[in-house]
Amino acid sequence: MTIREGKKEDLPRVLELIKELAAYEKAPEAVTNTVEMMEKDGFGENPVFGLFVAEDDAKGIVGISIYYYRYSTWKGRRLYLEDIVVTESERGGGIGKLLFDRTIQKGKEDGCSGMVWQVLDWNEPAINFYKKYYNATLDPEWINCSIEL
């Protein structure tokens, strides 16, 4: 298994994995992103996200980690892990851990003070993953808010 930085030509498969995640999270209709949007936003003049892919020589891309930077007034520069997705048939084999570790390494390389992410409260496999490997802090006090523009 190779973990490497994603490239433009990976985006069709990346979008497939994003749609697989949306189906798993019971919201397949929520994905409105396109390969063209991801190309501009990740590989254009002012990239706003980065990604790593997990690639198997025989199976191709089987997992992704998508991240971006945010700023905390209390902690400074932070890496925000938007999503880790491992295709269903490959889950449980350590690919998620490889992607998570590489994303943490990226944060350290770039001088971030930490990494933050979200997990759905019903996603027990993901919650257990974070608790088991990283002794992560899961904070129930914050409510997620958003506005569609």
Side-chain angles (χ1 to χ4, degrees):
M1 188 65 53
T2 302
I3 305 298
R4 63 169 174 79
E5 289 194 28
K7 302 182 264 188
K8 261 197 266 195
E9 46 272 14
D10 299 329
L11 292 176
R13 177 64 179 142
V14 169
L15 187 57
E16 286 175 9
L17 287 168
I18 291 167
K19 289 178 179 181
E20 184 177 329
L21 174 65
Y24 174 77
E25 292 184 352
K26 302 173 179 84
E29 71 290 340
V31 177
T32 59
N33 208 352
T34 67
V35 168
E36 293 75 23
M37 289 166 58
M38 293 181 74
E39 194 170 306
K40 177 182 177 257
D41 295 338
F43 298 92
E45 208 171 293
N46 296 302
V48 294
F49 75 89
L51 77 136
F52 293 107
V53 298
E55 188 170 41
D56 179 276
D57 288 339
K59 299 174 185 172
I61 295 172
V62 296
I64 57 172
S65 170
I66 297 178
Y67 64 88
Y68 59 89
Y69 300 94
R70 64 181 288 258
Y71 193 79
S72 166
T73 55
W74 289 11
K75 303 284 185 180
R77 184 180 172 106
R78 311 284 273 176
L79 194 71
Y80 186 86
L81 173 60
E82 178 64 24
D83 282 315
I84 281 187
V85 185
V86 176
T87 195
E88 187 174 9
S89 64
E90 299 296 319
R91 291 182 194 146
I95 297 168
K97 183 179 185 323
L98 292 172
L99 286 164
F100 200 81
D101 288 345
R102 182 60 186 98
T103 308
I104 289 171
Q105 181 184 343
K106 177 67 172 169
K108 289 178 180 178
E109 289 168 0
D110 292 348
C112 295
S113 64
M115 185 170 85
V116 294
W117 67 95
Q118 297 171 309
V119 62
L120 290 167
D121 62 358
W122 57 262
N123 191 345
E124 288 297 322
I127 290 168
N128 291 333
F129 169 83
Y130 296 129
K131 286 180 178 178
K132 179 179 177 185
Y133 290 103
Y134 299 100
N135 194 23
T137 302
L138 294 128
D139 188 344
E141 294 180 9
W142 291 89
I143 297 173
N144 294 316
C145 304
S146 68
I147 294 175
E148 299 298 319
L149 301 177

